[in-house]
């Protein structure tokens, strides 16, 4: 799933860049095409107007710099994927043996990608403070994940070798197994980022009054967490480690700020 996480973040960055570029294009195009021949004074006025619009856009989306974290995460993770291929510690728990394989959990498992993109996208355009906090907790956890996998190479051996059923969900699972290596699994980023999304949504002032979104986020997060174990993509150990890390970083990023300055913490910029 880390490879797909990389693709997801890449698409998110490209989406934000595309929207930002389109806004700039919408400002420039009407002004430039209004007249074929422009007087120098008119050209100066248009350029001044364009720079003012660009300044406004840059100020509005000044928090986009956070997405530069991609240039840290992607090269680091790519290095791990290429070098952690053997001689790694196999993660296993006795509880894993009691969890049956269920291919239907592939549906919430794949919904994780849309869940992350929609959550960060909404916060990016509607709640700058919430976007900063969501990015802080997500990227901090992802960095800890990279450090753990660097100093403690890990993987798992839980995937079924033979499938006793044949259906559409099984085919999706097969494709995941073919493209996703069973290494670099501790802690589970699928679990961790799902928890972070729920935390971010529950703390977003604009979404706090929407019970459907709040409950839907909770249910989807739980289903995604369960899917990692029922699809044998993660051990119970990975899931517990992700939950512990989420709780620890939550107390640092969300809980303490709310305790020290509740009004400021709830302020939407």
């Amino acid at each position: 799933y880390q490879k797909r996480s990389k693709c997801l973040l890449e698409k998110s960055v490209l989406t934000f860049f595309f929207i930002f570029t389109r806004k700039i294009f919408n400002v420039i195009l009407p002004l430039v095409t209004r007249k074929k021949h422009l007087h120098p004074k008119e050209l100066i006025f248009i350029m001044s107007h364009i720079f003012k619009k660009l300044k406004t856009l840059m100020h509005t989306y000044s928090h986009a710099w956070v997405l530069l974290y991609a240039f840290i995460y992607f090269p680091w993770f790519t290095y791990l994927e290429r070098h952690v291929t053997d001689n790694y510690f196999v993660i296993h728990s006795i509880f894993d043996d009691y969890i049956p394989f269920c291919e239907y959990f592939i549906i919430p498992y794949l919904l994780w990608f849309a869940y992350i993109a929609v959550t960060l996208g909404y916060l990016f355009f509607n709640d700058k403070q919430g976007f900063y906090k969501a990015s802080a907790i997500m990227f901090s956890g992802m960095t800890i994940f990279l450090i753990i996998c660097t100093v403690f190479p890990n993987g798992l051996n839980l995937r079924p070798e033979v499938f006793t059923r044949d259906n559409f969900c099984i085919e999706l699972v097969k494709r995941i197994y073919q493209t996703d290596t069973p290494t670099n699994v501790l802690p589970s980023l699928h679990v961790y980022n799902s928890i972070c999304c729920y935390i971010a949504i529950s703390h977003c002032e604009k979404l706090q009054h929407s019970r459907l979104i709040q409950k839907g986020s909770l249910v989807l997060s739980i289903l995604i967490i369960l899917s990692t174990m029922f699809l044998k993509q993660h051990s119970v150990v990975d899931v517990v480690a992700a939950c512990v890390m989420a709780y620890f970083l939550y107390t640092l990023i969300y809980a303490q700020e709310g305790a020290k300055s509740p009004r400021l913490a709830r302020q939407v910029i």
Side-chain angles (χ1 to χ4, degrees):
Y1 69 82
Q2 285 89 355
K3 290 182 179 179
R4 295 189 299 278
S5 177
K6 173 182 176 180
C7 294
L8 172 66
L9 193 50
E10 286 178 342
K11 290 180 180 179
S12 299
V13 173
L14 291 175
T15 301
F16 295 146
F17 177 77
F18 172 76
I19 295 176
F20 183 75
T21 304
R22 187 178 64 180
K23 288 181 178 292
I24 296 176
F25 183 77
N26 290 338
V27 172
I28 296 176
L29 184 63
L31 295 174
V32 175
T33 58
R34 189 175 299 172
K35 290 184 179 181
K36 294 183 178 180
H37 302 285
L38 297 175
H39 190 274
K41 291 184 178 180
E42 291 179 323
L43 181 60
I44 294 174
F45 172 78
I46 290 175
M47 294 303 297
S48 175
H49 182 71
I50 290 175
F51 283 122
K52 288 181 180 178
K53 289 291 185 180
L54 291 177
K55 185 178 180 181
T56 302
L57 288 174
M58 293 296 293
H59 176 74
T60 302
Y61 302 110
S62 59
H63 50 296
W65 68 269
V66 175
L67 300 176
L68 293 175
Y69 175 75
F71 294 101
I72 298 176
Y73 179 81
F74 291 154
W76 194 344
F77 176 74
T78 301
Y79 172 84
L80 291 175
E81 283 289 281
R82 291 178 178 178
H83 291 80
V84 181
T85 56
D86 53 12
N87 296 326
Y88 54 82
F89 183 83
V90 177
I91 306 295
H92 183 265
S93 167
I94 58 174
F95 299 104
D96 298 326
D97 301 329
Y98 294 96
I99 300 176
F101 171 82
C102 182
E103 69 272 19
Y104 300 110
F105 274 96
I106 190 64
I107 296 174
Y109 187 85
L110 294 178
L111 285 176
W112 177 82
F113 301 101
Y115 188 33
I116 302 297
V118 171
T119 301
L120 287 180
Y122 178 85
L123 295 174
F124 182 87
F125 292 107
N126 296 278
D127 187 354
K128 183 187 294 186
Q129 182 85 353
F131 176 77
Y132 273 130
K133 289 184 179 180
S135 299
I137 191 171
M138 282 189 181
F139 297 163
S140 296
M142 292 164 68
T143 303
I144 294 175
F145 158 79
L146 291 172
I147 294 174
I148 292 175
C149 292
T150 301
V151 300
F152 180 64
N154 57 82
L156 48 79
N157 187 24
L158 298 174
R159 296 175 176 179
E161 296 180 359
V162 179
F163 296 98
T164 58
R165 296 180 294 275
D166 187 14
N167 53 54
F168 178 71
C169 291
I170 288 291
E171 293 301 319
L172 292 178
V173 173
K174 288 180 179 179
R175 292 193 177 187
I176 288 179
Y177 285 1
Q178 292 174 355
T179 58
D180 188 16
T181 62
T183 58
N184 304 313
V185 296
L186 179 72
S188 169
L189 287 188
H190 237 74
V191 172
Y192 177 76
N193 283 338
S194 296
I195 296 174
C196 291
C197 281
Y198 173 70
I199 292 173
I201 291 174
S202 62
H203 281 75
C204 180
E205 186 172 334
K206 293 183 179 180
L207 298 177
Q208 286 181 352
H209 300 293
S210 177
R211 292 186 177 180
L212 180 62
I213 293 178
Q214 295 289 335
K215 292 183 178 179
S217 175
L218 177 60
V219 171
L220 181 57
S221 297
I222 293 174
L223 289 176
I224 291 173
I225 293 172
L226 292 175
S227 72
T228 63
M229 294 178 286
F230 280 93
L231 293 177
K232 301 302 178 180
Q233 283 290 83
H234 283 285
S235 166
V236 174
V237 177
D238 305 331
V239 175
V240 173
C243 293
V244 171
M245 184 170 69
Y247 175 79
F248 174 73
L249 290 176
Y250 170 79
T251 59
L252 293 178
I253 296 173
Y254 283 90
Q256 286 191 359
E257 288 189 13
K260 292 180 180 179
S261 181
R263 292 186 179 181
L264 182 61
R266 296 177 182 177
Q267 183 179 356
V268 179
I269 297 178

